[in-house]
Amino acid sequence: MTVRYPRIDASDSQPATSASSMHRPPHPAAHAKAAYSRRPRVALRSRLCVVAVAVLLVAVAVIALCLGDYPLSVGEVLRALTGRAGFDSTVVLQWRLPRIVAAIVFGACLGISGALFQTLTRNPLGSPDIIGFSTGAYTGVLAVRLVLPGSTLAASNLGASVLASTTAGALLGGFVTAIVVYLLAYRRGVQGFRLVIVGIGVTAALSGVNSWLILRARDEVAMGAAIWGTGTLSLTTWGDVVPAVLTVALTAPLIAAARRPLRQLELGDDAAAAHGLRVERARLAILGLGVLLAALVTAAAGPIAFVALAAPQIAKRLAGLPGIPLLHSALLGSLLLLGADVIAQHIGGNPLPAGMITVIFGGMYLFVLLIMESRA
């Protein structure tokens, strides 16, 4: 009996591809090459995003300088900025420009604060107004201001001493709230989801305390507290803006120094610790910096909601970066707050607090965000 073996051609012995090669994972060098090729495009997109938002911010600021009961042209605004245009200079430099600068500075503070908290918690809901820090700062302001005789919650009308006490109350309330939330959320470390849940509960409790403080006040004081509590820039003067600008300038090196530990914390606590980062110490330092920025805004303009929540996420999506960029978040925060204030001044017949506009658009943003998170 003759056994016949199948004939094997040369083409069969050296197949171009095989089942194992088809499912073989790509070499790590291929991933590195692809990432390197994408890096210039991501960097270009990020820079273009910064330029576009900055240009749009300047345009909205110019529009805000032109609009009002006493309208001005762009040329008149430019001449008024030199201080040699008489009444136009008074309108621009003393009435409108402080409010615009305040919106830009306070919006940047809220944007950076939201970016810090969202990076720490690794949760898009992690912002100072959601997890209670802005509410705690508001509680501190109410506790200080409602016990002062003749208080109307208008710091610009009551002098530097009351403004200093308001700032101190906001900082104290914000930091005490942060400590309480941190301790309640601590279980062999702080997890982002637990911090958000505890912060929401603390926010609800502090909202009740704030309502109780307002109800105990006199009618005119309670009315001022209710309006100021929505977040408004209507009473802003250079006396409010200059200390805020100086504070932000002093904290700028701290914000820059926080970028590296933030990027390490994005990798997770274990990876950050493996890189030599003291996780809890860095988390507490960043937490304190975020509370400081949020309390600064609350002391000057009241608790402005949803800017810190929306600005970092919008900035992340526009820039196309894996993490939350601080510069982009600051610019988006300034643009959102300035745009909300312009709309609040000129919509309808009577000016509204800017916080009412941010609540309306922020509520819609939060609704969309929750839908996106549920589908993820």
Side-chain angles (χ1 to χ4, degrees):
M1 179 178 179
T2 303
V3 179
R4 295 181 179 272
Y5 294 96
R7 181 180 178 181
I8 301 176
D9 297 332
S11 58
D12 297 332
S13 62
Q14 296 179 354
T17 59
S18 63
S20 59
S21 64
M22 290 177 63
H23 299 283
R24 185 180 302 164
H27 195 272
H31 286 296
K33 184 178 180 180
Y36 181 78
S37 63
R38 288 194 301 267
R39 189 177 302 170
R41 294 197 296 269
V42 173
L44 178 60
R45 177 178 174 179
S46 176
R47 295 190 184 99
L48 289 177
C49 177
V50 169
V51 173
V53 176
V55 170
L56 188 57
L57 180 62
V58 173
V60 175
V62 172
I63 292 173
L65 288 173
C66 295
L67 296 178
D69 295 334
Y70 186 75
L72 297 171
S73 65
V74 176
E76 291 172 334
V77 167
L78 294 177
R79 287 193 297 271
L81 290 174
T82 62
R84 289 178 280 179
F87 183 69
D88 291 353
S89 296
T90 301
V91 172
V92 171
L93 296 178
Q94 299 300 324
W95 298 352
R96 296 179 183 175
L97 190 58
R99 186 166 182 165
I100 294 171
V101 175
I104 293 174
V105 174
F106 295 159
C109 290
L110 291 175
I112 295 174
S113 180
L116 294 177
F117 287 127
Q118 290 180 13
T119 303
L120 282 181
T121 60
R122 292 191 284 273
N123 193 314
L125 293 177
S127 68
D129 48 340
I130 296 295
I131 56 181
F133 302 147
S134 295
T135 308
Y138 181 41
T139 305
V141 172
L142 290 178
V144 170
R145 299 295 299 277
L146 293 183
V147 299
L148 293 178
S151 174
T152 59
L153 287 168
S156 58
N157 295 333
L158 296 175
S161 61
V162 177
L163 178 60
S165 65
T166 300
T167 305
L171 292 175
L172 181 61
F175 279 112
V176 170
T177 304
I179 293 172
V180 171
V181 172
Y182 185 87
L183 292 178
L184 291 176
Y186 188 86
R187 294 292 185 277
R188 298 179 181 177
V190 175
Q191 300 296 326
F193 181 75
R194 187 187 301 124
L195 186 68
V196 172
I197 295 300
V198 171
I200 292 174
V202 172
T203 300
L206 289 176
S207 297
V209 174
N210 295 342
S211 299
W212 178 75
L213 290 173
I214 292 175
L215 289 174
R216 292 183 67 252
R218 298 190 307 271
D219 291 342
E220 64 275 11
V221 178
M223 183 67 69
I227 296 175
W228 184 81
T230 60
T232 178
L233 301 173
S234 60
L235 299 174
T236 304
T237 64
W238 286 119
D240 304 311
V241 175
V242 173
V245 172
L246 292 177
T247 304
V248 173
L250 292 175
T251 57
L254 300 178
I255 296 172
R259 293 181 60 185
R260 182 176 179 182
L262 277 175
R263 300 289 83 86
Q264 292 175 324
L265 288 173
E266 286 180 347
L267 302 175
D269 292 352
D270 295 336
H275 284 85
L277 181 69
R278 296 184 177 180
V279 175
E280 290 303 321
R281 180 177 297 182
R283 183 178 283 116
L284 281 174
I286 296 172
L287 185 70
L289 182 58
V291 171
L292 173 63
L293 295 174
L296 175 68
V297 177
T298 304
I304 299 175
F306 289 108
V307 174
L309 176 70
Q313 292 299 314
I314 297 175
K316 178 181 178 180
R317 285 166 172 77
L318 290 179
L321 297 174
I324 300 177
L326 296 181
L327 177 59
H328 302 67
S329 300
L331 290 174
L332 259 297
S334 299
L335 181 61
L336 290 177
L337 184 53
L338 181 58
D341 190 51
V342 172
I343 295 173
Q345 289 183 69
H346 304 289
I347 189 173
N350 297 320
L352 300 174
M356 294 185 66
I357 304 301
T358 62
V359 166
I360 293 173
F361 288 101
M364 293 187 293
Y365 167 80
L366 181 60
F367 179 72
V368 174
L369 180 62
L370 291 175
I371 293 177
M372 294 174 59
E373 289 295 315
S374 64
R375 293 179 177 179

